[in-house]
Amino acid sequence: MQHSINPATGKIVKSYEQHTKEGVVSIINSVDKTWHHWRSTSFMFRGQLMHNLSSILRSRKEELAFLMAQEMGKVKNEGIAEIEKCAWVCDYYAAHAESFLENEPIETEASKSFVSYQSLGTILGVMPWNFPFWQVFRFAAPTIMAGNTAVLKHASNVPGCSVAIEELFREAGFPENVFRSLIIGSGMVEGVIKHKAIKGVSLTGSNAAGKSVATIAGSELKKCVLELGGSDPYLILKDADVEKAAKICASARLLNAGQSCIGAKRFIVVNEVYPKFLEHFAHEMNAAQFGDPFDEESTMGPMAREDLRDELHKQVLDSIKKGAEVIIGGEIPHRKGAYYPPTILEHVKPGMPAYDEELFGPVASVIRVADEQEAIKVANDSDFGLGAAVFTSNTKRGENIAEMQLEAGACFVNDSVKSDPRLPFGGIKTSGFGRELSVYGIKEFVNIKAVVVK
Ligand code: NAP
């Protein structure tokens, strides 16, 4: 069984029967069979169904936000915004898939040659609980618009979201087996990847899961896209609008109770503005109303699971043992549920979990540096390379740092890092490989075919 456990209370909300091995094989066979028809449907037909899906998402956003709050503690406003973003990605690929995948003529000695983009078959999505709708839709919308079919193995703590997503596809009028959810644990992923009909796998999750899935996919010579962890640096330079930067930094750290791969995690602040930044940042972090995700007043809910909260607290304690100092937070509150308070650690140095590892919760690592050059060096001194942001009033200089000097898949100037259907999303170094979203995302799971006519 898989259980939905409300992280605000620790109580089981609902339990879901897992699929058996035979059940999984039968679903994959059906999804594969459907691909043979689905691959030759028109973009117009697929697009119409995607638009239906986006309308249904919008009309049910409150109910779906409630489901997320119940299973993983997301506050209502953030849940509604997540569902609206899912609707956006459906509409975006409905509108653009055809032009993204249009044949491209190439001049050669032959009478005609061109590049054609053909679907591959059934693609597996292995997805995390932190944005339980968005992560799935940003994988599924381009994959399905390209003519593939998809199966989802969602995180074991959000089976309700997994089942709901399959139902949404059905309700939108997609043929029965274009998109199916598998209710299985991670132990069954190997068997799914090895099924002959599975032609590729897209995983969003931890580095450990990424290594395991990439190893299996590699041994089967199947393509994979990996969207893994991050420890995004936010650089505050001496000419930054410090008050504004502190506000943006705090909200980028606390979004989704700090459980975002592109959450701001390391705040690298130059000497001249360090005291002012810390004062404003602490004020903004303290202003968060953390509480029941169902309460309209709450701006931050509990973390998704108690074990994850305890793991985060251990990283905080280890960092303190090694010399980090707590400015605010840092203690597990005396209340039921997986709550953790907004926390700031300063004097963060190499060798501490707060410097070297991803802190997947509302904990900020603040690092003081002498100047811009040191800020860039510290920003890049990480195994991760997902996102980065730089705050400066010299936007030309900021642009140069973002483009040329920061080692990350997405670099923002004077704003927090955000995913957007129009922009490629993905990381370098141990944050993964491949890209989702935009024209790049839809080309990950297609056969880029050369056609030459003599
Ligand atoms: P996780 O434990 O790696 O789980 C992610 C998914 O992988 C779940 O469906 C999980 O299934 C499955 N999984 C775990 N271990 C596996 C294995 N050995 N083989 C096959 N599947 C496996 O990650 P999480 O705790 O849910 O999510 C947090 C992590 O995801 C963070 O590191 C975060 O930065 C990263 N993330 C990255 C992005 C991005 O776009 N780069 C976006 C969001 C999150 P079970 O639940 O059944 O274990």
Side-chain angles (χ1 to χ4, degrees):
M1 293 295 261
Q2 282 188 6
H3 306 291
S4 282
I5 298 172
N6 182 346
T9 61
K11 291 208 172 102
I12 294 182
V13 180
K14 200 170 167 185
S15 298
Y16 296 79
E17 201 75 55
Q18 299 204 74
H19 286 118
T20 59
K21 262 190 197 162
E22 297 69 33
V24 167
V25 169
S26 150
I27 291 173
I28 296 173
N29 287 341
S30 307
V31 174
D32 182 45
K33 205 164 156 205
T34 300
W35 171 64
H36 291 276
H37 307 288
W38 181 251
R39 63 186 300 194
S40 51
T41 55
S42 68
F43 281 104
M44 200 200 259
F45 178 68
R46 292 176 210 155
Q48 190 49 55
L49 296 177
M50 274 294 160
H51 284 311
N52 292 350
L53 187 52
S54 75
S55 304
I56 295 168
L57 282 163
R58 288 195 178 95
S59 69
R60 290 176 52 185
K61 61 187 175 191
E62 300 250 346
E63 171 205 332
L64 299 171
F66 182 85
L67 181 60
M68 283 189 269
Q70 219 177 26
E71 283 202 314
M72 48 70 68
K74 195 184 297 279
V75 292
K76 190 177 161 193
N77 284 349
E78 289 185 3
I80 288 175
E82 180 168 338
I83 298 300
E84 282 169 350
K85 201 163 169 182
C86 293
W88 181 19
V89 83
C90 291
D91 285 338
Y92 176 80
Y93 280 109
H96 297 289
E98 185 166 16
S99 62
F100 287 163
L101 300 181
E102 222 167 35
N103 286 354
E104 287 171 29
I106 308 277
E107 283 283 324
T108 68
E109 298 72 31
S111 62
K112 188 176 181 185
S113 33
F114 59 97
V115 176
S116 165
Y117 299 96
Q118 299 292 318
S119 63
L120 291 178
T122 300
I123 310 298
L124 166 68
V126 182
M127 294 292 147
W129 46 264
N130 60 339
F131 292 93
F133 280 77
W134 169 241
Q135 307 289 4
V136 175
F137 278 87
R138 80 176 184 189
F139 149 73
T143 302
I144 288 172
M145 278 306 298
N148 298 299
T149 49
V151 287
L152 165 69
K153 179 268 179 278
H154 217 326
S156 296
N157 56 326
V158 289
C161 292
S162 186
V163 168
I165 294 169
E166 180 180 284
E167 283 168 6
L168 288 166
F169 273 89
R170 209 168 282 137
E171 203 180 318
F174 281 87
E176 176 66 19
N177 291 304
V178 166
F179 177 95
R180 292 293 302 273
S181 287
L182 307 172
I183 306 298
I184 53 172
S186 55
M188 280 172 75
V189 170
E190 179 166 3
V192 175
I193 295 173
K194 288 185 169 171
H195 190 296
K196 208 166 175 270
I198 297 294
K199 297 299 190 303
V201 49
S202 179
L203 173 127
T204 299
S206 61
N207 293 31
K211 279 184 191 170
S212 166
V213 163
T215 303
I216 301 161
S219 73
E220 293 293 305
L221 301 176
K222 293 184 183 181
K223 172 156 187 187
C224 65
V225 166
L226 299 179
E227 297 287 0
L228 308 177
S231 183
D232 288 8
Y234 276 44
L235 285 65
I236 321 297
L237 304 186
K238 67 178 179 194
D239 60 353
D241 179 338
V242 171
E243 266 180 65
K244 205 164 152 198
K247 222 181 196 25
I248 295 171
C249 288
S251 87
R253 179 59 294 204
L254 298 181
L255 180 83
N256 207 33
Q259 304 161 116
S260 167
C261 54
I262 46 164
K265 291 178 187 141
R266 293 176 296 139
F267 301 88
I268 303 165
V269 190
V270 298
N271 236 341
E272 286 95 328
V273 290
Y274 187 87
K276 189 172 172 197
F277 174 80
L278 200 57
E279 185 195 330
H280 285 284
F281 186 50
H283 172 78
E284 295 292 341
M285 292 280 282
N286 257 330
Q289 298 290 319
F290 80 104
D292 193 323
F294 301 99
D295 186 341
E296 302 265 344
E297 304 279 291
S298 304
T299 57
M300 187 180 115
M303 290 181 60
R305 297 195 317 247
E306 282 190 21
D307 61 306
L308 296 170
R309 189 271 313 273
D310 295 344
E311 221 171 275
L312 176 74
H313 188 53
K314 191 172 168 298
Q315 289 173 302
V316 168
L317 294 181
D318 281 357
S319 301
I320 294 169
K321 212 184 279 173
K322 291 179 173 155
E325 277 178 39
V326 179
I327 301 295
I328 61 164
E331 281 178 23
I332 295 179
H334 297 289
R335 63 187 292 180
K336 240 189 169 21
Y339 289 96
Y340 203 75
T343 296
I344 300 177
L345 297 176
E346 71 165 337
H347 304 312
V348 170
K349 301 224 154 43
M352 297 177 185
Y355 188 100
D356 299 330
E357 300 170 10
E358 179 180 35
L359 298 183
F360 212 58
V363 181
S365 301
V366 183
I367 303 163
R368 188 174 191 146
V369 290
D371 54 25
E372 183 181 306
Q373 277 321 304
E374 193 186 351
I376 294 165
K377 199 166 157 233
V378 170
N380 292 336
D381 183 26
S382 169
D383 290 340
F384 298 105
L386 195 54
V390 55
F391 291 83
T392 168
S393 53
N394 183 346
T395 47
K396 197 96 201 106
R397 180 88 197 112
E399 187 182 317
N400 175 273
I401 294 170
E403 183 189 357
M404 306 301 292
Q405 306 201 48
L406 293 174
E407 297 167 2
C411 297
F412 282 55
V413 181
N414 294 326
D415 202 0
S416 54
V417 179
K418 297 175 183 80
S419 60
D420 178 323
R422 298 163 296 186
L423 294 167
F425 187 92
I428 56 168
K429 303 201 254 183
T430 63
S431 291
F433 46 76
R435 289 293 178 267
E436 291 195 284
L437 301 175
S438 77
V439 64
Y440 297 96
I442 199 169
K443 288 186 177 170
E444 287 287 2
F445 293 110
V446 288
N447 173 10
I448 304 173
K449 186 188 274 187
V451 181
V452 178
V453 184
K454 191 88 181 164

